[in-house]
Amino acid sequence: MMSGENIIFYLLAAMILGSGLLAVTTRHIFRAAIFLLFSLIGIAGMYFWLQYEFIAAVQIVVYVGGITVLIIFSIFLTQQAGEKLPEQKIGRQIFAALAAFCGLALIMLQIFKHQFIATNQLALEPTVVNIGNNMLGVGEGGYALPFEVVSILLLAALIGCIVIAIRSKPQTI
Amino acid sequence: MMQPGLYHILFISTTLFFIGVFGFFTRRNLITMLMSIELILNSVNLNFIAFNKYLWFNKLDGLFFTIFIIAIAAAEAAVAIAIIINLSRNFQSIDVNKTDEMKF
């Protein structure tokens, strides 16, 4: 018996994992960026499914609208159009797949062995009001200090990007 | 089919994490390596949100960790792309095997 909710969950899971796998295996770099885009959209859909609407909106704005566009622009700036990536050694691919699979098996074994215990306290709804009150709160559960630190970090990253990527003038004699 | 719960989401995020690790091992192009890192960071975000939703729903800590990870990932992607553009200007390539000037 499958309800609509379950069907949507499994569709989202297939979208996330399928396009994620294609993003790391395809040899066209532009297609890899598009598959990454679909994987990120699937994760945003998963946040909607979990009813964390604010974080889903943040995911779409920052990842889908920002980082993917940035990656596509950098592909245009650095790659020759229509050029395939060089083929990797088959030994390296086998080793990487084996290492990833062993890690996956280990972690999944630990997760399914572990018994998670949920808290029995009252739920705090992830509404925008609650998020805002906690984000700028200075008391218990407040995140004002990390908020300020992250703003400084973003400013530093902004300046650093400009300094690194600026084209230095050729030396004139 | 079972009702999706915490274990299903943990399975998705763990698999996505190791897909990212696989990409990071096999890719030799800096932009595709950056894409793998984005996949890894997203799987961690999904993990935090799932724990917040199913185990510690009395607080919003997982949600704030996700917000801060997204902010730091955006900064990291921007700096990485600036470095990649600078590298491609100086070496005409962003393959990690070809940029070996500081190797010896």
Side-chain angles (χ1 to χ4, degrees), chain A residues 161-172:
Chain A
C161 286
I162 296 171
V163 170
I164 292 171
I166 201 165
R167 188 190 292 274
S168 53
K169 275 189 192 147
Q171 297 282 321
T172 49

Side-chain angles (χ1 to χ4, degrees), chain B residues 73-84:
Chain B
E76 168 256 325
V79 173
I81 282 172
I83 292 173
I84 288 170

Side-chain angles (χ1 to χ4, degrees), chain A residues 1-3 5-6 9-10 13 16-17 20-27 29 32-33 36 39-40 43 46-47 49-52 54-55 58-59 62-63 67 70-71 74-75 77-79 85-86 88 92-93 95-97 99-101 103-104 107-108 111-112 114-127 130-132 134-135 140-141 143 146-147 150 153-154 157 160-161 164-168, chain B residues 1-90 92-98:
Chain A
M1 185 59 202
M2 292 277 277
S3 65
E5 193 188 353
N6 294 9
F9 178 85
Y10 288 112
I16 292 171
L17 296 181
L21 197 60
L22 283 169
V24 298
T25 51
T26 181
R27 282 179 56 206
I29 187 165
L36 177 75
S39 194
L40 297 178
I43 288 181
M46 192 62 87
Y47 293 151
W49 188 86
L50 287 165
Q51 294 176 327
Y52 278 65
F54 178 75
I55 211 81
V58 169
Q59 169 88 4
V62 175
Y63 271 109
I67 291 181
L70 206 61
I71 286 176
S74 70
I75 290 172
L77 279 173
T78 56
Q79 297 289 118
L85 296 171
Q88 295 301 330
R92 179 188 284 154
Q93 291 211 359
F95 165 73
F101 183 76
L104 176 67
I107 302 285
M108 288 318 294
I111 284 174
F112 282 112
H114 190 265
Q115 190 68 44
F116 292 103
I117 298 158
T119 176
N120 51 12
Q121 294 185 27
L122 215 59
L124 184 62
E125 291 298 313
T127 57
N130 284 340
I131 293 171
N134 276 340
M135 174 75 101
E140 180 77 17
Y143 277 84
F147 179 78
V150 162
L153 177 87
L154 285 176
C161 286
I164 292 171
I166 201 165
R167 188 190 292 274
S168 53
Chain B
M1 291 288 228
M2 283 184 292
Q3 178 75 23
L6 176 62
Y7 287 98
H8 292 72
I9 295 177
L10 288 183
F11 174 75
I12 292 173
S13 68
T14 314
T15 313
L16 194 67
F17 182 90
F18 282 103
I19 286 173
V21 170
F22 171 76
F24 196 75
F25 281 159
T26 51
R27 295 290 203 184
R28 279 298 168 265
N29 184 299
L30 276 173
I31 293 178
T32 46
M33 289 171 89
L34 184 68
M35 289 179 197
S36 305
I37 295 175
E38 298 299 334
L39 282 181
I40 292 173
L41 286 167
N42 267 284
S43 75
V44 174
N45 285 346
L46 194 57
N47 232 341
F48 272 119
I49 291 289
F51 280 132
N52 195 1
K53 164 101 183 169
Y54 287 105
L55 299 184
W56 286 281
F57 39 75
N58 58 334
K59 290 176 186 168
L60 290 176
D61 288 350
L63 192 147
F64 282 109
F65 270 79
T66 303
I67 290 177
F68 289 123
I69 290 173
I70 287 176
I72 292 171
E76 168 256 325
V79 173
I81 282 172
I83 292 173
I84 288 170
I85 287 173
N86 199 348
L87 203 66
S88 82
R89 212 179 266 149
N90 287 332
Q92 283 74 44
S93 164
I94 53 168
D95 193 301
V96 290
N97 289 332
K98 288 181 186 148

